[in-house]
Amino acid sequence: MRTIWGLLIAGSASFYLFFFQTDAFNFLSDRTSQYALAAEQIEGPLKLEVILEREYLDGEVSQETIEETIWTLEDFWAKYDQWQLVDMDIDYMVFRRKVDDISPLLKANGYFGVTEDGTLTIFNGKPQNTNIIQSFFQIDLGKLESAKCEELKKGIPIVSKDRYVEVLETFKSYTAGEKHAN
């Protein structure tokens, strides 16, 4: 990455030095020559590791690592214009994007359920205390209809963002310790 920035700085500094050749720009000449020498040693495109992080509504963050071959900076930045740059170094860049959906893990194997103390929880697979992914709030199981209570004990598959939001909204009104008007 320093090489790319070096090329940009060297090019910009060379442009200014060529056209304006004033004392104000002479301080750049030493650095510019260092970057220019480094740039001359590079042949062909720049290869860089790009890490793409996707942050889902349920808090899950997935990472994908790819090796990019950068032919032009303009094309590279255009490719990732929907992503936010969060970290970079000489040989890698990390981009992040918020995804308005639940994670693939929840779609494939996520279930809403309750723990023994009545906490609404997402499990990896059918509800078991050892497979907890995320916990939300405690439900007053005494207020809960028996059918809904049984449904939670068996596990409610999530499968979609709409289902995820629907279940959270449905059980929010049964939060322990709070009074809700019917």
Side-chain angles (χ1 to χ4, degrees):
M1 189 62 212
R2 289 184 190 142
T3 305
I4 292 172
W5 289 113
L7 291 173
L8 289 173
I9 291 169
S12 299
S14 298
F15 174 81
Y16 283 110
L17 290 172
F18 178 77
F19 284 101
F20 298 107
Q21 294 184 356
T22 63
D23 290 338
F25 293 102
N26 285 340
F27 75 96
L28 291 174
S29 63
D30 289 340
R31 279 207 167 185
T32 303
S33 61
Q34 291 173 0
Y35 285 119
L37 287 173
E40 287 174 3
Q41 296 173 3
I42 298 172
E43 293 181 20
L46 176 66
K47 293 194 184 275
L48 183 68
E49 185 176 282
V50 175
I51 301 166
L52 302 175
E53 294 182 345
R54 291 172 181 86
E55 186 177 344
Y56 296 94
L57 291 175
D58 54 274
E60 183 75 21
V61 176
S62 69
Q63 278 192 342
E64 175 185 5
T65 303
I66 55 177
E67 186 173 302
E68 279 286 352
T69 302
I70 302 172
W71 294 93
T72 68
L73 286 175
E74 185 176 290
D75 291 342
F76 176 77
W77 288 116
K79 184 175 182 178
Y80 296 104
D81 69 342
Q82 300 296 311
W83 296 79
Q84 179 184 10
L85 179 64
V86 293
D87 191 16
M88 68 181 194
D89 201 345
I90 193 165
D91 55 351
Y92 72 88
M93 294 180 95
V94 180
F95 291 98
R96 182 174 292 153
R97 177 166 66 181
K98 292 187 185 279
V99 179
D100 186 28
D101 201 359
I102 59 172
S103 65
L105 171 68
L106 288 192
K107 286 180 181 179
N109 209 31
Y111 286 80
F112 275 106
V114 289
T115 58
E116 289 179 13
D117 69 350
T119 303
L120 182 65
T121 303
I122 294 178
F123 295 89
N124 184 11
K126 298 263 182 174
Q128 297 173 4
N129 287 334
T130 58
N131 294 331
I132 294 174
I133 295 175
Q134 185 177 11
S135 296
F136 294 96
F137 45 82
Q138 197 163 12
I139 296 174
D140 184 347
L141 297 174
K143 291 185 195 175
L144 202 57
E145 303 161 14
S146 60
K148 285 191 188 273
C149 192
E150 278 305 308
E151 191 178 11
L152 275 176
K153 287 180 181 177
K154 288 180 182 176
I156 302 170
I158 298 173
V159 302
S160 72
K161 173 189 167 188
D162 292 338
R163 183 70 169 163
Y164 173 83
V165 172
E166 175 191 340
V167 171
L168 281 176
E169 290 301 316
T170 298
F171 290 102
K172 198 176 274 184
S173 62
Y174 295 102
T175 303
E178 293 183 18
K179 297 187 181 201
H180 297 277
N182 288 337

